[in-house]
Amino acid sequence: MSTTGSSNPEYVNARVRARRAALFSDDEYRKLVRMTPSEIARYMEESEYEREINELGSRHSGVDLIEYSLNRNLAKHFNDLLGFSEGRMYDLIARYLRKFDAWNVKTIMRGVYSGADRESIETDLIRAGEFDESFLDRLLEASTIEDVITSLDGTIFGDPLEAALEDFEETDVLVPLENAVDRTFYEELLADLPSSEAIDLYREFLEAEIDFRNARNALRLARSGADIDPAEYFIEGGRLFNARELEGLVQSPDQLVSTIRDSSYGRELSGPLDELEDADSLIAFERALESVLLKYSRRLGNVYPLSICPVVAYILMKEREVENIRAIARGREAGLSEAEIEGELVIL
Amino acid sequence: MSLELASEVGNVVLQAGEAGGPALSELGAAAIAVGLAAFGAGYSQRAIGAAAVGAMAENEDLFARGLILTVLPETLVILALLVVILLL
């Protein structure tokens, strides 16, 4: 499809809503929590995931089967989104789905760096972004990090990665390269968005996403007490922090929490923040951030139905479904109790 | 383009004025009224039709409902016809 011509928000929105209705409900998650991995696979076979489970059933089994079917189904739906959207709509959806291009690039770099074989890297890719099959195959054939970066020349990741290559060669850790990928993704996401009422609110939503990401990274750094420069992980574009502020806040977690509490997100996050101060676990807070973001996107989608908003809400909900089912399957495999698994889920 | 058309229309109106009658006959006005109503209906059907086809692509059972929703704006044209018939 092309990015020129008029967009078709009505058509895309109708299809997205139908697919949204097919997602697992919260009751179904509670049912899944009580199943063993093979029962989950069988349950999935009778749902949305029938085709993927059947296709992959001969090659994988158990939790791997669940995980790969989830990824493949996710990729199928998101590719469909790109397939039936046009014009401005396509442009905005593609920008958001580049998240998976960034994921794939990072996965391939990590795989090459750790010397994993091609097949095992390939199974971890999520083919949902803008890169097509042949391009990903070319990336997979690369045997060194330099080769990967050369192949990426011409994509949005090409130049920033080349700039970060020097850093990588000096330190021999992947962090600068991965940060370059993440930053490029968010820069492109926010770069010259058109101006309309719906898009302005969409931009606010993206800024909230970036803020949450920064807050999560900062809290993780503060909790782990690791001696890492927080500015390295900082993503530009949010409203809540700037790089220098964040550096100071990581030193004192209490101040960080109170900054978040005083911000415009304070009202939604006050419950989870209280919990965070009482308990010492970040997991609940991170899940709360995700569910606040999810609710935010859903509300936007209801306010502006004929825009990118409901599509992004659907993308987030689908991702949540995949993560939840994966968490359930992995949790059951590891023998976690039902209560522990439910703590890992994002349920609205 | 539109400017040229406007001046053209102006000429026609002036000529009609010289002849003494109104610029637009009653029948002409009625035709424009129905035409505009039909245009409005068509414009709204563009969006509804696209959404209905999208819904049908996901679930074929929605055909009847989609069809009903798509033709609802036709009532605009029927209303316009009614008004025109009553006035003429």
Side-chain angles (χ1 to χ4, degrees):
Chain A
M1 292 292 130
S2 68
T3 53
T4 53
S6 63
S7 64
N8 52 351
E10 300 91 359
Y11 181 77
V12 175
N13 193 20
R15 297 202 69 162
V16 160
R17 267 176 203 261
R19 282 167 195 229
R20 210 168 107 173
L23 294 177
F24 284 166
S25 68
D26 291 349
D27 285 338
E28 280 176 296
Y29 290 134
R30 294 200 178 93
K31 228 186 289 171
L32 285 172
V33 167
R34 276 180 234 112
M35 294 182 186
T36 63
S38 57
E39 279 171 344
I40 296 176
R42 203 167 313 131
Y43 189 80
M44 281 166 64
E45 203 183 334
E46 285 158 18
S47 71
E48 256 299 292
Y49 296 92
E50 183 187 355
R51 231 180 82 199
E52 285 77 19
I53 293 268
N54 286 335
E55 272 172 12
L56 294 169
S58 56
R59 268 193 289 154
H60 305 283
S61 66
V63 184
D64 284 346
L65 172 64
I66 296 175
E67 186 156 346
Y68 297 142
S69 329
L70 286 171
N71 283 350
R72 197 178 267 211
N73 186 271
L74 182 91
K76 184 187 87 182
H77 280 295
F78 291 173
N79 273 327
D80 283 358
L81 281 186
L82 288 178
F84 55 59
S85 58
E86 281 166 16
R88 172 60 68 190
M89 201 72 180
Y90 174 89
D91 177 38
L92 290 176
I93 296 176
R95 279 183 199 209
Y96 199 77
L97 289 181
R98 283 203 195 118
K99 185 193 291 200
F100 295 100
D101 287 339
W103 162 274
N104 287 340
V105 169
K106 283 193 281 185
T107 309
I108 290 174
M109 285 197 306
R110 277 180 203 161
V112 170
Y113 181 72
S114 64
D117 61 285
R118 186 197 152 121
E119 206 149 293
S120 60
I121 305 176
E122 201 171 355
T123 44
D124 281 329
L125 294 186
I126 302 176
R127 296 167 186 266
E130 251 194 333
F131 293 168
D132 56 18
E133 296 281 313
S134 57
F135 186 73
L136 281 173
D137 282 344
R138 219 168 62 223
L139 285 182
L140 280 168
E141 273 157 26
S143 52
T144 61
I145 300 274
E146 284 81 6
D147 284 351
V148 177
I149 295 174
T150 322
S151 315
L152 283 168
D153 197 31
T155 67
I156 56 165
F157 300 113
D159 291 339
L161 276 177
E162 255 165 55
L165 187 59
E166 210 175 302
D167 247 3
F168 165 72
E169 278 165 351
E170 267 171 35
T171 54
D172 201 35
V173 287
L174 279 178
V175 175
L177 292 178
E178 293 185 355
N179 287 336
V181 170
D182 278 338
R183 278 206 198 111
T184 317
F185 164 68
Y186 280 105
E187 265 167 35
E188 284 287 319
L189 191 61
L190 287 170
D192 40 73
L193 283 173
S195 183
S196 74
E197 207 180 346
I199 299 289
D200 287 344
L201 284 173
Y202 172 58
R203 184 184 294 121
E204 265 176 40
F205 166 75
L206 292 179
E207 284 167 357
E209 190 177 323
I210 294 175
D211 278 340
F212 285 5
R213 229 190 132 101
N214 281 331
R216 202 184 58 189
N217 286 345
L219 277 169
R220 278 187 190 168
L221 280 180
R223 287 285 154 137
S224 69
D227 188 26
I228 303 172
D229 183 11
E232 252 180 64
Y233 289 94
F234 182 74
I235 298 161
E236 295 279 346
R239 277 173 301 167
L240 194 51
F241 309 108
N242 62 41
R244 199 159 342 117
E245 263 174 34
L246 201 66
E247 220 162 308
L249 289 174
V250 168
Q251 308 302 326
S252 61
D254 291 339
Q255 219 179 329
L256 182 61
V257 170
S258 65
T259 311
I260 300 174
R261 203 188 283 277
D262 292 337
S263 69
S264 50
Y265 312 116
R267 205 160 49 95
E268 280 107 349
L269 287 176
S270 72
L273 280 173
D274 289 339
E275 238 173 86
L276 180 70
E277 279 178 335
D278 293 342
D280 227 18
S281 144
L282 260 183
I283 296 173
F285 185 69
E286 287 183 10
R287 299 287 164 272
L289 281 182
E290 277 171 43
S291 87
V292 167
L293 202 63
L294 207 57
K295 276 184 205 149
Y296 188 0
S297 69
R298 275 220 307 211
R299 206 182 61 227
L300 267 192
N302 286 338
V303 177
Y304 287 101
L306 295 184
S307 68
I308 173 82
C309 301
V311 182
V312 169
Y314 167 72
I315 292 175
L316 282 181
M317 285 168 86
K318 182 76 189 170
E319 277 184 275
R320 173 186 77 126
E321 174 176 285
V322 166
E323 307 236 308
N324 276 351
I325 298 179
R326 183 175 12 220
I328 294 174
R330 290 273 174 218
R332 293 298 302 188
E333 192 195 30
L336 296 182
S337 73
E338 282 168 26
E340 278 171 315
I341 296 176
E342 275 189 29
E344 288 287 334
L345 304 183
V346 181
I347 296 179
L348 290 184
Chain B
M1 175 73 191
S2 58
L3 265 178
E4 280 168 30
L5 262 181
S7 67
E8 199 70 5
V9 169
N11 277 342
V12 172
V13 170
L14 281 177
Q15 278 161 17
E18 276 164 21
L24 207 57
S25 69
E26 270 179 29
L27 228 77
I32 289 178
V34 177
L36 282 179
F39 180 78
Y43 183 73
S44 58
Q45 276 176 341
R46 183 196 75 108
I48 302 173
V53 170
M56 277 176 224
E58 292 295 324
N59 181 359
E60 276 180 38
D61 300 342
L62 292 174
F63 178 75
R65 215 176 294 175
L67 194 68
I68 292 173
L69 288 176
T70 311
V71 299
L72 268 187
E74 296 290 343
T75 50
L76 278 181
V77 190
I78 297 173
L79 273 179
L81 271 180
L82 200 74
V83 169
V84 165
I85 289 169
L86 283 179
L87 282 183
L88 278 182

